[in-house]
Amino acid sequence: MLTKRIIPCLDIKNGRVVKGVNFVNLRDAGDPVELAAFYDREGADELVFLDITASVEGRLAFLDIVRRTAEQVFIPFTVGGGIRTVEEIREVLRAGADKVSLNSAAVNDPDLITRAARQFGSQCIVVAIDAKAEKDKAGKWGVYTHGGRKYTGKSVISWAQEVEERGAGEILLTSMDRDGTADGFDLELLQKVSESVNIPVIASGGAGELEHFYSAFAIGKADAVLAASIFHFGKFRVKEVKEYLEHKGVPVRW
Amino acid sequence: MIGIIDYGLGNLRSVQKAFELLGYSADLVADKNQFDRFNALVLPGVGSFGQGVHNLQRRDLFEPIKKWALEGKPLLGICLGMQLLFTESEEAPGVNGLDIYPGRVVRFSSKLKVPQVGWNRLEMKKDSPLFSGLEKGQFAYFVHSYYVVPEQDDLIVLESNYGVDFPAAIGERNCWGVQFHPEKSGKTGLKILSNFGGMYDEGNSGD
């Protein structure tokens, strides 16, 4: 039976992990490669690296991290942040990433998804969708970019279906209403999207308690859950989340 | 030395780095005239069956790989590389696979999401040196829409279930295939690559 995945996400700026990371036993908790190896040992099923650098130097440092990670970590990892062209996708895949995550670039140029999937295969194209509930319209969500500041005019459900049609292999769905709140995932959004597409949906935004993970799978029908601070700040370990899920009857990998 | 066949498909670097981490020597190979340098070959690959066959033929690797395996030399197919060992695939009607093993490649027909993406449990169907040392019920990382149906049932070494029981690993003697990605399956995958290196990479010792 296919297990449900737990995916820690690392934000990286100028080659360093941002957001404080509270771990003992790590020589350098700011080193993405060391942190990635740590999460691998902890039982993470995959990893996501998000490059939030704008500069050219930061970009080169990021590629170097992807290369070094691929030499040391033997679980799948996805790379996202600022990838705009097929050439840039090729660059990170060659550096050793298994998948790329496209966000604004896919919104601005949906054909990029089609071209990338044709070139590299759907299995390595993840489309990230930042969703925000529309005011006064229950059960409707809009697609946003720029950290939730810019409305694209697209509805989340139809955009999710379009990216699937264009060849995306997975959807990384972030609720901008819940992101950073630790109040739990937007289960209604998650369930609607999961039931509207036939590709895996990764839930993101809002993980704060163990039961949030469970409800994302049981109610939200997610295939995987992505979380950052809950792991980085050491509130829960990946192992604790998995033990809880297994106890509740969700299949997990050991 | 282990040769990783470079035919323009797949994450070759991870496979090479995994062997190197384990203490074996591995190099990419894109030219049939270089095959003599290697004790064993790995055929990796992601993408479609038709594209895979096309790329192998265009690079004049199709017949040399088949000959290599039929001469009894070690070959390991990974993911699409495993599917290519068989006769034909639903994904590319009319296209001939390497046909080292008779059998077909078929699409998951279940109501589950396709492709299967993620970690699935491995069930041991028969003992095999390539998979020795794996604990019962270990997990491996899969990304695929199609799976193999060998004519010979006893070719199946590991089985997994995604709506249907399907072969996760097949093979005998010198020629093997794994549907999952051992280079992305943590310590379980590294153990299998380590076994492969230990069996075939003479002159090197892994730990």
Side-chain angles (χ1 to χ4, degrees), chain A residues 1-3 5 45-46 67 71 74-76 94-99 123 194 198-199 223 252-254, chain B residues 11 13-14 17-18 21 46 113-114 116-121 139 141 143 161-162 183-186 190:
Chain A
M1 185 181 220
L2 188 64
T3 58
R5 290 171 281 156
D45 297 309
E46 288 188 40
R67 252 176 240 120
E71 287 169 10
F74 295 95
I75 57 172
R94 284 191 81 93
D98 298 289
K99 314 179 193 180
Q123 83 292 331
S194 288
N198 199 39
I199 52 177
D223 298 279
V252 294
R253 162 233 174 198
W254 295 106
Chain B
N11 188 346
R13 188 177 167 86
S14 297
K17 291 298 168 191
L21 178 90
V46 292
K113 292 183 175 179
V114 177
Q116 167 177 228
V117 181
W119 296 79
N120 206 329
R121 194 184 283 274
F139 294 89
Y141 186 80
V143 185
N161 183 287
Y162 190 60
E183 77 282 13
K184 289 290 156 187
S185 294
L190 292 178

Side-chain angles (χ1 to χ4, degrees), chain B residues 12-32:
Chain B
L12 310 176
R13 188 177 167 86
S14 297
V15 180
Q16 184 182 10
K17 291 298 168 191
F19 278 123
E20 287 173 358
L21 178 90
L22 294 163
Y24 299 105
S25 49
D27 204 356
L28 305 186
V29 54
D31 176 359
K32 64 175 178 182

Side-chain angles (χ1 to χ4, degrees), chain A residues 5-6 209-210 212-214 217 225 227 230-231 235-248 250 252 254:
Chain A
R5 290 171 281 156
I6 303 296
E209 301 297 334
L210 290 175
H212 295 160
F213 288 87
Y214 173 70
F217 295 123
V225 163
I230 196 170
F231 295 133
K235 182 166 181 189
F236 295 110
R237 298 177 68 159
V238 174
K239 185 166 167 279
E240 290 175 278
V241 173
K242 288 190 162 184
E243 278 167 356
Y244 178 83
L245 290 171
E246 185 165 64
H247 171 72
K248 300 277 268 180
V250 176
V252 294
W254 295 106

Side-chain angles (χ1 to χ4, degrees), chain B residues 108 110 112 120 161-166:
Chain B
F108 283 120
S110 68
L112 298 167
N120 206 329
N161 183 287
Y162 190 60
V164 59
D165 289 336
F166 69 90

